Amino acid sequence: MDNSPQEQDHIPTSKVQRASKFIGAGAKVGGNYIKHYAKKIVNPSLGKEALHTENAQDIYASLSQLKGSALKMAQMLSMDKSVMPQAYQDKFAQAQYSAPPLSYPLVVRTFQKSFGKTPEQLFDTFSTSAVNAASIGQVHQATKGGKTYAVKVQYPGVAESVSSDLRMVRPFAYRLLNMNERDMDHYLQEVEEKLLEETDYELEVRRSAEISAACQHLPHLTFPNYYPELSSSRIITMDWLPGAHLREWLDTKPTQEERNRIGQALWDFYDFQVHHLKQVHADPHPGNFIVQPGPVLGVIDFGCIKVIPEDFYLGYFSLIKKDSLLKEAELNQIFFDLEFINNQDTAAEQAYFKGVFKEMISLLGQPFHAPSFDFADDQYFQQIYMLGDRISQDKMFRNSRMARGSRHGLFVNRTYFGLYSLLNQLKANITTTKPAWLS
């Protein structure tokens, strides 16, 4: 039986069409709750696992038809195990590289708008079916002059719908994160800017070429070449990197030495970007990496790049530094600068939030505090999830209803959570290289 996702021949692009999809998903979820509580009357011990599974399927089915920012946010949430139940994580993770693909006539139309030519007129061969499909675009394989290419084609209407989609999900975000609109918008503006950047394929080609060139010296890493003459604002052409996605490679049962080697390549890649380039590939999920024989790690997507301001960088990593010699006044200033505390807080609130963030940063900084770190330590990750659960349930935190932390931390934190998660999946034991000042 063919389990591949069914192709779409239409993507809702108008605000009315997309709003109808959101409303339809909400109605299905509401119906699932009614069915669940009806069953619970008969069976009071009934758990919520089946409810979560049905809701996850219905929500993902609607978002996968919409594509774009709505599906991208689901993918982002799937990377954080503390945000939602496992059923949602599992389903939404499909948005990383196995979303329902676009039908070929719509792909041809995108080529004609970009180049005035069909794919067959530009390439010797071009796969009519997508090889991979994600939230913003899908990948086709092509050949030209004896070379094999990966051609990423953006879904129609994605760039134009980012802002309106985020306006529609705002009410859900306020409720989910218990935050007022003003403070929530503090973060959603950062999300919107990054999503808009991800739809700018000309920007992605420039950044991809710059960062991959800067990282060429790092061992056990490889990058595709990019071809601006075969790319546009909605199409990217790059070298085809043969190999297996990270999860597929793990299914081949690689040795511990091979896991460590790929894990070290990942750590070195992010270490160099953060501490030397001050800009980072902020989308570390398995679908963005290919493992080739050797093993060698290929990086295939630079759509989401976070440029890290110098003042944020210095404050953030000063807190991570072990046995910091910062004086209390200096420490307080960093907490203010990073927006963990503010002048509206009472003395009790300032003391509480400083304590919470010190504990959180100390835990997340553990890999930096030793010459090597074993990311196979599930107990370490359990501590992180337990701390997150404890803080989210704490009355002081829940009653704050205020943004905590600089907007720049949103994608930097996401980068490190994603990196740690990948290293945990690899069960890698690595040397935690870092700048001398951080030692």
Side-chain angles (χ1 to χ4, degrees), residues 267 367 373-377 381 420 423-424 427-430 432:
W267 181 272
F373 194 83
D374 186 2
F375 283 91
D377 183 3
F381 287 88
Y420 284 15
L423 292 170
N424 179 240
K427 306 299 181 189
N429 192 325
I430 64 165
T432 49

Side-chain angles (χ1 to χ4, degrees), residues 117-413:
K117 296 180 179 180
T118 66
E120 289 80 8
Q121 290 172 316
L122 280 173
F123 298 97
D124 297 337
T125 65
F126 191 92
S127 65
T128 57
S129 297
V131 179
N132 290 307
S135 51
I136 303 293
Q138 64 189 40
V139 176
H140 293 255
Q141 190 180 70
T143 62
K144 184 180 178 69
K147 286 182 65 95
T148 304
Y149 300 93
V151 184
K152 185 162 68 170
V153 183
Q154 189 174 124
Y155 302 126
V158 164
E160 294 78 11
S161 65
V162 168
S163 299
S164 58
D165 279 1
L166 288 180
R167 280 195 293 273
M168 281 187 277
V169 302
R170 268 179 168 86
F172 300 103
Y174 301 148
R175 228 171 294 133
L176 179 66
L177 300 175
N178 190 41
M179 207 176 280
N180 64 49
E181 291 188 21
R182 179 177 57 83
D183 292 318
M184 189 69 218
D185 287 347
H186 174 74
Y187 294 116
L188 285 178
Q189 182 183 353
E190 177 82 351
V191 172
E192 183 173 343
E193 286 178 10
K194 284 286 152 285
L195 288 172
L196 286 170
E197 285 182 5
E198 281 202 63
T199 65
D200 184 348
Y201 278 5
E202 290 172 335
L203 174 63
E204 180 175 344
V205 168
R206 291 197 300 273
R207 282 177 164 174
S208 301
E210 290 169 3
I211 296 175
S212 56
C215 296
Q216 285 287 348
H217 67 288
L218 297 172
H220 314 309
L221 279 169
T222 189
F223 307 90
N225 292 312
Y226 292 82
Y227 301 91
E229 70 277 10
L230 293 171
S231 302
S232 72
S233 61
R234 298 292 180 262
I235 295 170
I236 295 177
T237 300
M238 67 189 86
D239 288 335
W240 178 270
L241 291 189
H245 281 294
L246 207 54
R247 284 178 179 166
E248 296 168 342
W249 181 70
L250 287 172
D251 289 340
T252 68
K253 309 297 182 188
T255 66
Q256 186 62 52
E257 182 181 359
E258 290 171 327
R259 290 169 178 265
N260 291 349
R261 182 167 170 171
I262 293 299
Q264 191 67 56
L266 268 171
W267 181 272
D268 293 345
F269 176 53
Y270 280 94
D271 175 75
F272 184 78
Q273 290 177 93
V274 170
H275 300 295
H276 295 273
L277 303 181
K278 301 295 194 302
Q279 56 179 341
V280 64
H281 177 286
D283 198 12
H285 68 71
N288 282 342
F289 300 96
I290 293 285
V291 183
Q292 298 185 304
V296 173
L297 184 68
V299 186
I300 59 172
D301 192 306
F302 285 90
C304 183
I305 300 296
K306 172 61 185 173
V307 177
I308 308 172
E310 184 69 22
D311 55 348
F312 174 84
Y313 168 82
L314 290 172
Y316 186 91
F317 285 98
S318 292
L319 293 179
I320 283 180
K321 186 176 181 180
K322 188 180 182 183
D323 302 326
S324 175
L325 299 178
L326 290 170
K327 296 177 182 177
E328 188 67 22
E330 294 174 311
L331 195 59
N332 283 340
Q333 188 59 53
I334 290 174
F335 275 110
F336 272 104
D337 291 343
L338 294 181
E339 301 174 44
F340 291 140
I341 58 176
N342 59 65
N343 289 320
Q344 297 178 40
D345 291 331
T346 65
E349 285 173 328
Q350 287 194 15
Y352 167 78
F353 284 108
K354 281 194 289 185
V356 162
F357 287 111
K358 279 182 183 177
E359 185 178 5
M360 187 181 297
I361 290 165
S362 175
L363 184 57
L364 295 178
Q366 280 188 24
F368 291 89
H369 299 163
S372 64
F373 194 83
D374 186 2
F375 283 91
D377 183 3
D378 288 330
Q379 187 176 359
Y380 169 69
F381 287 88
Q382 195 58 38
Q383 285 180 274
I384 293 176
Y385 304 141
M386 287 174 64
L387 176 61
D389 286 342
R390 195 188 83 216
I391 292 171
S392 66
Q393 297 302 318
D394 191 283
K395 187 176 180 181
M396 182 84 81
F397 198 91
R398 291 176 66 85
N399 289 343
S400 172
R401 296 188 62 80
M402 187 177 294
R404 297 287 170 179
S406 165
R407 58 180 285 190
H408 299 299
L410 191 64
F411 280 91
V412 173
N413 290 337

Side-chain angles (χ1 to χ4, degrees), residues 76-85 88-89 176-177 389:
M76 291 167 64
L77 289 170
S78 75
M79 294 168 63
D80 189 340
K81 296 182 180 180
S82 65
V83 170
M84 59 178 64
Y88 291 89
Q89 294 173 41
L176 179 66
L177 300 175
D389 286 342

